[in-house]
Amino acid sequence: MSAQGATGIDLLKSQNTRQHHTDAYNIKNLVVRRGHPFQVLVSLNRELRPADKLSLRLGIGENPMKNRGSLMSLKPEREDFNGWKISLVKKGGKECLLSVTSSPNAPVGKYNLHVKTGTNIYKPENGVIYLLFNPWCKDDVVYMANEAEKNEYVLNDTGYIYVGSAYSIYNRPWNFGQFEDSILDACMYLLDKSKLSLTERRDPANVSRAMSALVNANDDSGVVLGSWSGNYIGGTSPMDWIGSVTILQQYYKTKKPVKYGQCWVFAGVLNTVMRCLGVPCRCVSTFDSAHDTEENLTVDIYLNEKGEKMNISFDSVWNFHVWNDAWMKRTDLPNGFDGWQAIDSTPQEQSQGRFQCGPCPVKAVKEGDVYLPYDSKFVYAEVNADRVYWLVKKVNGKDKYFKIATETQDIGKNISTKAVGQNRREDITREYKYPEGSKEERMSMQRAYSFIRPLGLMPRSGYASTVQGLGGNAQPLVPNEPATKTGLHIEIKNTEPLHPGNPLEMAITVKVSTPGNWTIDLTGSCQLQYYTGKVQANLGTTKETFNLEGPSEMQIPLKIAPDAYMKTLSSVEDEVLILVTAIAEVRETKDKLTKETSMRFQYPPITVQMPETARLYNDFTCAFIFKNKLNVTLENCKLLVEGLGIFKMTTFDQGDIMPGRIMKSEIICTPTRLGERKIVAKLISNQIKGISTEKGIIITE
């Protein structure tokens, strides 16, 4: 009787990947999701007999062993092994069709498949199978019931990241590209690099925490090196990326950190990695985000006597900050904390000795349960801290600090993500916090404070050696809006569009609502600042004293000539915002109020011309047109374009574009994937950093 042996195995890639929602991965190997069956067809040198011992062996890791659970030996007649199952679907002639179901909590990663028949082991050529998390499987902790949400948070490879400031939010298109060439392999490399044990690889909480550490280069030479220096020589400016694909491909090729990133780049890449591994994930932007270094839930802002913000605080309020939410059940926590979990790969503060953050349940942030792992105090402060303004005056040659105001409703506004299945912004602030000033919000705040134990309110810059007028009073638990006797109110607006090269024309409106004759001292300043809150240049100030017969208002213009800011604008490599700060004081009552607004420059658009639909593998032409409607020459222009499944990242050098000039570039596109595809374009120059646009096209058979 001849010994039985396998002669071949067909992993039935096209039918398996369709059933597992993995057909978009651009890879030779079979990619499947855990907990769902996949089929394999084994060819044998003779017909299968009842006495033959046929088994499939699946091993993960360097040295797979049965007793460690890293080697599964699956026999059709045996029910189940470590939660894995195998069954014989049918046999006929020299072939048998087997169905394999992995355990819904199997470690994710790369498995080697062998066929064992008696003593004979057959190793197929492309026998490495990639096993991912499975949001389609009810028993997987990343299960997501809603189909449209899975399409968005797992399968969508494009999206937006919201940036700007609370008063002018705009979207940056971003290509996540989790299915592109070598992206899955880059993620598998990160999993190996994370040194997570196989047991830890079962749980998305461990995996997402490890990935939040590995997406930044700190500690572990991870994917992206952060830089906020304004000088990006020897790398790519954070403003110039339009997606994660180039970054992850370059990292996987060189195994060295890619230069340079800032928060939206870290969030974009982490989103790609999580979606690629099968964990539902979204990019979340919060506006006026606090970076509270001491975990006492206040951030201090220092103003000089001209009303200009000073760069002396250890804390900061970022105009916006972007992190991610990953979706999972938290089996490691008490009940009630399943669902979205905040993870953040921007290196801000160390957590357990590494730059990593999360997963922190969004529900814990909402309820003030800031004792829960991981990093819930930090995430809570990002969206809930109070902002305290201090006036720094010279008294007998020494700096003295006077508290002007406490803003309690200013931090963590307009928390935003891309809407499910639609190209629009969805406000998810309610998921993170109760409405400002509501009873629930105060209770949540009180709960949070009880875990944080306030240290009393002191200014925290390294320069704050003398504190005036505080008398050691600890922070009240219920900070109220400053109630002023005169009903003082300030509004800041631009009166003309803010185009680079034009004068910046703004107005500060001061209102009083109480009857009486009031004398008001107003100080206003205009500065350029980075989104991290760091001031780059002082552009001008105004000081006015006027009388108001209440109730009434007065408008004070603030105008900045182009010469005052254009040089700074061309010399920095980041996008800068216009920060206007105003301080008003009523002499009769000593009422003080401060207000700040950050605004962004406005730019002419890029238009994309192409057909609305195209056929698979049939070429079409796409044209990009830009007219410089500004009063300045845009120097050193580059147009970056990318269309996933249509064409690879391409850069056009455009040189200088004079005022009134029109630029036109064309690219021939060959679609390789079906469905809705997006083309993203971005224009960068010395003067402006990032006019972007995108356009969709439907690809049919």
Side-chain angles (χ1 to χ4, degrees):
M1 199 169 113
S2 68
Q4 209 228 320
T7 56
I9 180 163
D10 182 349
L11 297 178
L12 305 172
K13 190 176 163 201
S14 71
Q15 77 171 55
N16 284 327
T17 55
R18 266 203 313 280
Q19 286 165 354
H20 283 251
H21 307 93
T22 55
D23 46 339
Y25 285 97
N26 193 356
I27 193 167
K28 285 207 286 287
N29 303 65
L30 175 61
V31 183
V32 290
R33 299 183 190 275
R34 62 188 195 175
H36 268 179
F38 63 93
Q39 296 191 336
V40 296
L41 186 65
V42 179
S43 313
L44 304 158
N45 60 359
R46 60 168 172 73
E47 208 167 322
L48 195 63
R49 299 179 192 147
D52 290 330
K53 288 193 164 57
L54 170 75
S55 66
L56 282 194
R57 306 183 67 160
L58 283 141
I60 183 171
E62 290 295 296
N63 184 15
M65 282 148 81
K66 279 191 188 178
N67 58 2
R68 291 224 182 116
S70 56
L71 179 65
M72 269 55 67
S73 184
L74 307 173
K75 301 180 179 63
E77 70 280 6
R78 225 176 70 211
E79 230 329 82
D80 134 357
F81 186 92
N82 284 356
W84 292 61
K85 295 187 195 56
I86 185 170
S87 58
L88 185 60
V89 182
K90 65 168 190 274
K91 58 176 185 178
K94 296 181 180 176
E95 288 186 332
C96 63
L97 184 62
L98 300 169
S99 170
V100 181
T101 309
S102 59
S103 157
N105 68 350
V108 294
K110 285 157 49 169
Y111 287 77
N112 276 305
L113 173 72
H114 301 155
V115 185
K116 191 169 184 228
T117 39
T119 53
N120 179 322
I121 290 188
Y122 173 75
K123 302 186 174 180
E125 216 179 305
N126 244 343
V128 177
I129 294 178
Y130 290 67
L131 187 68
L132 308 179
F133 290 106
N134 192 355
W136 282 265
C137 170
K138 280 201 168 60
D139 299 321
D140 193 318
V141 288
V142 300
Y143 174 67
M144 193 169 228
N146 183 308
E147 213 51 41
E149 287 180 9
K150 284 185 293 231
N151 282 333
E152 183 66 57
Y153 299 132
V154 186
L155 299 179
N156 194 352
D157 55 0
T158 64
Y160 303 110
I161 296 178
Y162 293 93
V163 295
S165 70
Y167 306 100
S168 60
I169 297 175
Y170 67 103
N171 66 30
R172 252 182 216 152
W174 191 269
N175 284 337
F176 300 116
Q178 63 268 37
F179 304 117
E180 301 306 297
D181 238 2
S182 72
I183 301 299
L184 181 56
D185 280 319
C187 295
M188 291 296 162
Y189 170 73
L190 289 173
L191 266 182
D192 289 342
K193 201 173 153 55
S194 73
K195 302 277 195 286
L196 288 173
S197 70
L198 283 177
T199 310
E200 290 170 326
R201 277 195 192 200
R202 297 169 182 272
D203 185 358
N206 300 322
V207 171
S208 59
R209 184 162 176 79
M211 293 301 128
S212 87
L214 277 164
V215 164
N216 65 63
N218 304 47
D219 318 314
D220 43 32
S221 71
V223 184
V224 179
L225 183 63
S227 172
W228 285 263
S229 66
N231 176 357
Y232 306 111
I233 291 168
T236 300
S237 154
M239 286 297 305
D240 298 359
W241 302 110
I242 52 178
S244 314
V245 180
T246 327
I247 296 174
L248 282 162
Q249 284 172 342
Q250 185 185 324
Y251 178 73
Y252 184 55
K253 206 158 84 199
T254 64
K255 310 288 193 281
K256 287 191 175 69
V258 177
K259 301 169 177 176
Y260 292 100
Q262 288 176 7
C263 67
W264 65 91
V265 183
F266 291 111
V269 173
L270 185 55
N271 210 53
T272 300
V273 170
M274 297 316 294
R275 284 185 187 181
C276 188
L277 293 172
V279 180
C281 194
R282 62 187 185 184
C283 290
V284 174
S285 304
T286 193
F287 292 87
D288 292 334
S289 167
H291 181 156
D292 171 21
T293 50
E294 289 186 14
E295 298 197 334
N296 63 354
L297 290 185
T298 60
V299 290
D300 301 307
I301 311 278
Y302 300 93
L303 305 174
N304 65 17
E305 294 187 58
K306 290 188 199 161
E308 292 169 341
K309 189 165 128 186
M310 301 161 73
N311 283 333
I312 61 172
S313 180
F314 292 140
D315 294 330
S316 52
V317 174
W318 296 32
N319 284 101
F320 66 90
H321 179 49
V322 194
W323 62 77
N324 305 77
D325 281 345
W327 177 268
M328 64 191 74
K329 283 198 179 70
R330 284 298 292 274
T331 50
D332 56 329
L333 297 183
N335 283 344
F337 295 107
D338 295 342
W340 290 116
Q341 315 286 323
I343 54 179
D344 191 345
S345 56
T346 299
Q348 297 188 85
E349 296 284 319
Q350 286 196 344
S351 167
Q352 296 178 321
R354 297 176 81 186
F355 282 97
Q356 55 190 357
C357 180
C360 158
V362 171
K363 287 203 178 79
V365 176
K366 184 165 181 170
E367 302 297 343
D369 288 308
V370 295
Y371 58 91
L372 287 170
Y374 295 93
D375 312 303
S376 52
K377 289 190 178 81
F378 186 76
V379 177
Y380 186 86
E382 286 186 302
V383 298
N384 283 303
D386 290 339
R387 210 190 311 212
V388 182
Y389 288 89
W390 303 85
L391 185 60
V392 184
K393 283 188 175 175
K394 283 260 184 280
V395 181
N396 305 331
K398 278 208 174 121
D399 282 349
K400 299 269 170 139
Y401 295 79
F402 298 90
K403 187 172 152 195
I404 317 173
T406 303
E407 274 280 8
T408 63
Q409 305 195 349
D410 230 26
I411 299 286
K413 289 200 284 281
N414 310 56
I415 303 176
S416 304
T417 190
K418 177 188 173 302
V420 172
Q422 295 177 312
N423 294 330
R424 62 172 183 84
R425 182 176 77 85
E426 185 185 353
D427 192 299
I428 53 167
T429 312
R430 285 290 172 90
E431 293 183 38
Y432 269 88
K433 49 210 280 198
Y434 287 104
E436 289 288 359
S438 66
K439 191 171 101 249
E440 293 87 351
E441 187 235 5
R442 282 296 149 217
M443 280 168 66
S444 159
M445 200 83 180
Q446 240 148 353
R447 207 171 150 67
Y449 272 116
S450 72
F451 298 116
I452 288 169
R453 296 187 298 278
L455 310 162
L457 187 60
M458 300 278 279
R460 276 182 288 162
S461 90
Y463 306 87
S465 50
T466 52
V467 179
Q468 287 294 310
L470 278 177
N473 55 346
Q475 166 121 25
L477 267 187
V478 185
N480 288 317
E481 274 293 273
T484 60
K485 302 187 184 76
T486 43
L488 192 57
H489 183 71
I490 303 174
E491 263 174 32
I492 302 167
K493 284 201 171 61
N494 52 311
T495 48
E496 290 295 322
L498 301 168
H499 292 307
N502 288 7
L504 307 180
E505 302 194 32
M506 287 149 316
I508 302 169
T509 305
V510 180
K511 297 181 181 175
V512 289
S513 53
T514 313
N517 192 0
W518 311 108
T519 315
I520 291 160
D521 291 312
L522 175 75
T523 309
S525 76
C526 182
Q527 297 168 295
L528 287 183
Q529 77 163 6
Y530 289 131
Y531 83 98
T532 56
K534 184 176 156 235
V535 174
Q536 183 53 36
N538 296 325
L539 304 183
T541 59
T542 177
K543 246 194 156 83
E544 298 267 342
T545 301
F546 48 89
N547 283 26
L548 278 182
E549 190 68 48
S552 65
E553 60 179 65
M554 175 80 142
Q555 194 179 54
I556 305 293
L558 180 58
K559 187 172 172 174
I560 309 290
D563 301 354
Y565 70 87
M566 279 311 293
K567 211 168 150 192
T568 306
L569 206 56
S570 315
S571 68
V572 298
E573 292 211 27
D574 299 84
E575 185 167 42
V576 283
L577 293 146
I578 303 155
L579 171 71
V580 181
T581 310
I583 308 174
E585 182 171 7
V586 181
R587 286 191 185 173
E588 290 78 6
T589 60
K590 293 282 178 274
D591 276 355
K592 265 198 183 72
L593 190 60
T594 174
K595 170 94 182 177
E596 62 171 71
T597 301
S598 37
M599 302 178 254
R600 111 180 235 268
F601 286 102
Q602 291 155 340
Y603 312 122
I606 303 171
T607 26
V608 182
Q609 288 180 347
M610 63 176 179
E612 284 182 15
T613 62
R615 308 220 0 222
L616 199 61
Y617 305 118
N618 286 14
D619 290 358
F620 65 91
T621 305
C622 178
F624 303 93
I625 299 155
F626 172 79
K627 180 176 182 183
N628 181 5
K629 296 177 180 163
L630 303 173
N631 289 332
V632 281
T633 298
L634 300 179
E635 297 162 328
N636 200 1
C637 295
K638 283 189 180 62
L639 180 72
L640 315 166
V641 293
E642 183 179 45
L644 302 180
I646 298 176
F647 58 84
K648 286 207 164 32
M649 174 81 188
T650 312
T651 305
F652 297 98
D653 278 313
Q654 304 287 355
D656 298 352
I657 305 177
M658 317 279 278
R661 286 291 298 281
I662 294 177
M663 157 214 106
K664 184 172 182 182
S665 303
E666 288 192 338
I667 192 163
I668 305 288
C669 309
T670 315
T672 54
R673 298 225 303 271
L674 290 168
E676 197 199 346
R677 303 274 106 220
K678 276 203 187 121
I679 286 179
V680 173
K682 181 171 216 171
L683 184 75
I684 51 180
S685 69
N686 294 1
Q687 284 73 15
I688 52 183
K689 313 289 185 279
I691 300 174
S692 49
T693 188
E694 41 122 48
K695 194 161 183 176
I697 182 168
I698 308 282
I699 309 301
T700 58
E701 297 258 11

